[in-house]
Amino acid sequence: MAKRIDVSGLSAYYGSHKAIDDISMTVEPRSVTAFIGPSGCGKSTFLRTLNRMHEVTPGGRVEGKVLLDEENLYGTGVDPVSVRRVVGMVFQRPNPFPTMSIYDNVAAGIRLNGGRVRKSELDGIVEKSLKGANLWNEVKDRLDKPGAGLSGGQQQRLCIARAIAVEPQVLLMDEPCSALDPISTLAIEDLIGELKERFTIVIVTHNMQQAARVSDRTAFFNLAGVGQPGKLIEIDDTERIFSNPSVQATEDYISGRFG
Amino acid sequence: MDDMDISPENPAPPLAPEPAENTGNAKGTTRIGDRIFLGLSRGSGVLLLAIMAAIAVFLTVRAASAISKDHGNFLTTFEWNANADQPVFGIAVLAFGTVVSSLIAMLIAVPVAIGIALFITHYAPRRLAAPLSYVIDLLAAVPSIVYGLWGALFLVPHLTGLYTWLDSYFGWTGVLAYHGGAARSLFTIGILLAIMILPIVTSVSREVFRQVPRMHEEAALALGATRWEVIRMSVLPFGRSGVISASMLGLGRALGETMAVATVLSPSFLISRSLLDPGGGTFAQNIASSFKESGDLGKDALIASGLVLFVLTLLVNGAARLIIARRKEYTA
Ligand SMILES: Nc1ncnc2c1ncn2[C@@H]1O[C@H](COP(=O)(O)OP(=O)(O)OP(=O)(O)O)[C@@H](O)[C@H]1O
Ligand SMILES: [Mg+2]
């Protein structure tokens, strides 16, 4: 089900402020691509252009193309709602629906996408998704309890289960571990390794070791100065980025010799 | 009851900033302001309690003496004749009229208010949302006697069409049968009250919907929810307890509304089978209409009816608080 993402000449704006400038890259299916770079360089903004979430911000505007296999997400007549159904997203702060039970949280996307699904079928999907998110054993006895009652790490895995329940083609994750303890972080990193067999994964992280551990490819973003738009500096195999990057700025950033 | 926050348990913060380690021993100049403030707030708390107790005692004593002289049953009599030699008065008609007209008002106003609040916060372009909010807030500033006049002079003559229509479709139920005559019924009162409580319910709901955390809405959006689905999955569940509070504020106003009801209703001590028949009455309207020509006992009887209204309002508020508290564990 995983698809290739092909971005060309993509710029994004907040009102008149240009946040990212002319980004082009390819993300291979069934791989993990990590976005790294200093704060404010536009990683989140770029990530959110990949499922058309950028435009829900007031003033948000995008130029350029994002091809999912052959289809341009920004083509005329493309419904952003249907884009978001095939490109899932996990946010920095776990955000399960607070009034819904664990079960309903996982089922939420299906109930949107498919409308009516048989109960037995839904049970199956919920179990499979929770297992996929490595959460099943911890919650199988309390599926009807509110999702907000879980720990932060469990909530984040619940959000992952919710995102993968609808079988998206691509899974976007914006610093999914930054609010979590090291053990939950490891659990999610392991999970990412499993999920990439089925999905194309893009993850934003500030944690260099994490990028090195989980990703196949790494993209480094930077900005020329305050008020300047962020740019893609380079994207390459993770090993290469961390051992022998082709741009000096990348090496400076990774080795910590950077503002 | 929120005034109680100025109580001895919640003294105001020190008037002047003070290093924390000094608070134990310092008896210097900064503490004087502190103590004056403590005295003031404690004093006003006690004063408030004393005034409330005095009012309660006064009302209860007068009400009890009136009820003891009642020759009918205070709860079930369909009559209000406190000036007769054998005074007979009961609140059955008033309780019915108050509750029914307020319920009609709620049934109309709450869905409309939620709709308007959602439109303002989630659908309307900003150019439209701001003026619309302003107009709604303005409606709240119209005095109730003006609503009463408008109701009597405009609404009553224009509602006969709606009444005929209701009668032709739902007349068979009896509850909505129309037998001709001016539309000065509990149903009209309900509509008028709905318009009057619409602004408060709308503006409180609007603020609640505006406070829905962005991340809850984005959770739904990222799953591929349409705008309406975002509202259903994130906005309404988050806003539920706020909307309940808003409705209770509106209900409180509807239960106690006096002038508008007194101007529009043609009161009588009857409970009609049809809500569209003229007649009936409410607690507040009855007090306003009969206060002037009441003798001493009559006034005490009205006070007793007012106490019942007060208890009714308290019960409504308590129920709302219970509902909200019950939901809190889920939304926290
Ligand atoms: N809602 C917004 N409105 C206006 N400008 C914004 C908004 N969100 C982000 N920006 C601007 O866009 C630029 C890129 O922000 P973005 O959040 O994409 O950075 P980031 O790389 O994700 O940073 P971080 O690592 O801190 O999360 C920044 O200059 C930021 O000020
Ligand atoms: Mg970010």
Side-chain angles (χ1 to χ4, degrees):
Chain A
M1 288 286 280
K3 286 193 174 174
R4 173 200 312 276
I5 309 171
D6 222 322
V7 182
S8 51
L10 189 120
S11 303
Y13 299 79
Y14 291 99
S16 58
H17 171 65
K18 192 179 204 176
I20 49 172
D21 180 41
D22 192 23
I23 292 181
S24 303
M25 71 163 68
T26 303
V27 175
E28 295 297 330
R30 284 187 203 79
S31 71
V32 178
T33 303
F35 291 177
I36 59 171
S39 192
C41 67
K43 306 178 295 294
S44 302
T45 306
F46 179 55
L47 193 74
R48 289 163 63 92
T49 62
L50 300 181
N51 67 342
R52 298 197 62 169
M53 282 292 284
H54 177 63
E55 63 208 56
V56 306
T57 319
R61 196 156 52 79
V62 176
E63 284 166 5
K65 274 204 280 193
V66 177
L67 300 185
L68 198 63
D69 279 357
E70 298 303 313
E71 199 201 354
N72 183 7
L73 301 187
Y74 287 94
T76 45
V78 175
D79 180 3
V81 167
S82 56
V83 170
R84 292 177 206 134
R85 288 182 182 182
V86 293
V87 184
M89 185 161 208
V90 175
F91 295 82
Q92 179 168 359
R93 287 196 35 213
N95 57 355
F97 296 113
T99 51
M100 287 189 199
S101 67
I102 293 171
Y103 184 100
D104 289 339
N105 259 287
V106 181
I110 316 250
R111 289 185 173 138
L112 287 182
N113 287 300
R116 304 266 159 267
V117 187
R118 278 217 314 287
K119 177 84 171 88
S120 56
E121 202 180 328
L122 198 57
D123 287 348
I125 295 172
V126 168
E127 178 171 348
K128 179 169 162 231
S129 310
L130 284 170
K131 280 183 172 152
N134 283 334
L135 189 60
W136 175 251
N137 287 329
E138 289 153 73
V139 301
K140 61 171 183 266
D141 302 320
R142 44 169 169 157
L143 291 176
D144 55 341
K145 293 277 164 8
L150 297 174
S151 77
Q154 290 172 326
Q155 286 187 24
Q156 193 63 301
R157 278 178 282 149
L158 178 61
C159 292
I160 294 175
R162 178 176 70 187
I164 62 179
V166 294
E167 293 285 332
Q169 325 267 353
V170 178
L171 193 58
L172 309 175
M173 304 175 129
D174 192 351
E175 303 186 42
C177 304
S178 66
L180 306 182
D181 70 295
I183 294 180
S184 310
T185 301
L186 270 184
I188 290 186
E189 286 180 10
D190 289 345
L191 179 57
I192 291 171
E194 291 165 27
L195 292 176
K196 78 169 182 182
E197 324 248 301
R198 290 155 60 205
F199 307 102
T200 306
I201 295 178
V202 182
I203 176 173
V204 175
T205 176
H206 275 290
N207 181 331
M208 296 301 140
Q209 287 91 346
Q210 182 170 67
R213 279 193 300 262
V214 302
S215 71
D216 304 301
R217 309 256 298 165
T218 298
F220 173 61
F221 296 78
N222 203 351
L223 23 74
V226 180
Q228 304 276 356
K231 286 183 191 263
L232 174 65
I233 303 302
E234 65 173 315
I235 173 167
D236 210 330
D237 289 340
T238 298
E239 257 167 65
R240 230 187 107 93
I241 289 275
F242 282 93
S243 59
N244 186 19
S246 42
V247 182
Q248 183 63 36
T250 314
E251 193 170 343
D252 289 348
Y253 180 74
I254 288 166
S255 55
R257 265 178 283 142
F258 193 87
Chain B
M1 280 287 153
D2 286 341
D3 320 51
M4 294 305 294
D5 279 352
I6 321 167
S7 64
E9 296 88 56
N10 299 326
L15 293 181
E18 199 177 32
E21 58 271 23
N22 276 355
T23 41
N25 52 16
K27 286 253 189 281
T29 45
T30 49
R31 299 289 284 181
I32 289 179
D34 217 9
R35 256 190 284 162
I36 292 177
F37 202 92
L38 180 67
L40 273 179
S41 50
R42 183 175 289 164
S44 34
V46 170
L47 187 66
L48 187 74
L49 276 182
I51 292 176
M52 286 187 45
I55 294 176
V57 167
F58 170 80
L59 292 180
T60 322
V61 167
R62 301 278 299 260
S65 92
I67 293 173
S68 68
K69 289 176 196 135
D70 190 352
H71 284 245
N73 184 320
F74 182 66
L75 293 179
T76 55
T77 309
F78 280 36
E79 203 180 327
W80 196 269
N81 215 339
N83 298 327
D85 297 336
Q86 296 244 319
V88 177
F89 49 89
I91 55 163
V93 172
L94 304 177
F96 177 82
T98 305
V99 170
V100 165
S101 60
S102 298
L103 279 185
I104 295 172
M106 297 290 284
L107 283 179
I108 300 172
V110 171
V112 175
I114 293 175
I116 298 177
L118 285 175
F119 178 73
I120 290 175
T121 53
H122 285 82
Y123 286 92
R126 218 172 295 175
R127 268 172 295 115
L128 188 61
L132 195 60
S133 308
Y134 181 71
V135 170
I136 301 271
D137 288 344
L138 210 60
L139 278 180
V142 177
S144 42
I145 183 64
V146 175
Y147 276 110
L149 290 174
W150 176 77
L153 300 176
F154 178 86
L155 202 55
V156 167
H158 284 82
L159 275 181
T160 40
L162 174 68
Y163 274 32
T164 319
W165 182 85
L166 280 174
D167 182 61
S168 59
Y169 285 93
F170 304 105
W172 55 270
T173 58
V175 183
L176 289 175
Y178 180 44
H179 307 112
R184 293 172 171 277
S185 67
L186 288 178
F187 190 78
T188 302
I189 296 298
I191 294 176
L192 187 64
L193 289 175
I195 298 171
M196 296 178 69
I197 66 176
L198 191 65
I200 180 79
V201 184
T202 306
S203 53
V204 175
S205 307
R206 185 188 66 207
E207 289 317 307
V208 173
F209 293 151
R210 209 167 258 165
Q211 281 163 14
V212 177
R214 195 78 203 125
M215 67 177 204
H216 290 336
E217 287 184 41
E218 292 200 338
L221 276 173
L223 276 182
T226 60
R227 221 190 297 214
W228 167 241
E229 287 164 338
V230 171
I231 286 172
R232 237 188 37 212
M233 293 170 82
S234 300
V235 179
L236 290 180
F238 180 87
R240 180 167 290 140
S241 59
V243 170
I244 293 175
S245 321
S247 310
M248 291 307 146
L249 276 177
L251 181 57
R253 171 147 194 215
L255 288 172
E257 179 50 44
T258 310
M259 279 323 293
V261 180
T263 316
V264 172
L265 197 68
S266 64
S268 72
F269 269 81
L270 290 173
I271 293 179
S272 312
R273 180 132 181 266
S274 168
L275 297 176
L276 305 186
D277 281 341
T282 72
F283 285 114
Q285 166 272 324
N286 182 52
I287 295 175
S289 314
S290 16
F291 191 77
K292 276 230 179 83
E293 57 263 31
S294 292
D296 282 344
L297 177 60
K299 292 203 165 97
D300 288 354
L302 291 176
I303 286 176
S305 76
L307 263 186
V308 177
L309 174 60
F310 175 65
V311 170
L312 185 66
T313 318
L314 270 190
L315 286 181
V316 165
N317 259 310
R321 266 161 210 262
L322 264 185
I323 297 172
I324 293 166
R326 181 108 35 92
R327 297 219 55 98
K328 214 159 239 161
E329 56 193 82
Y330 237 21
T331 45

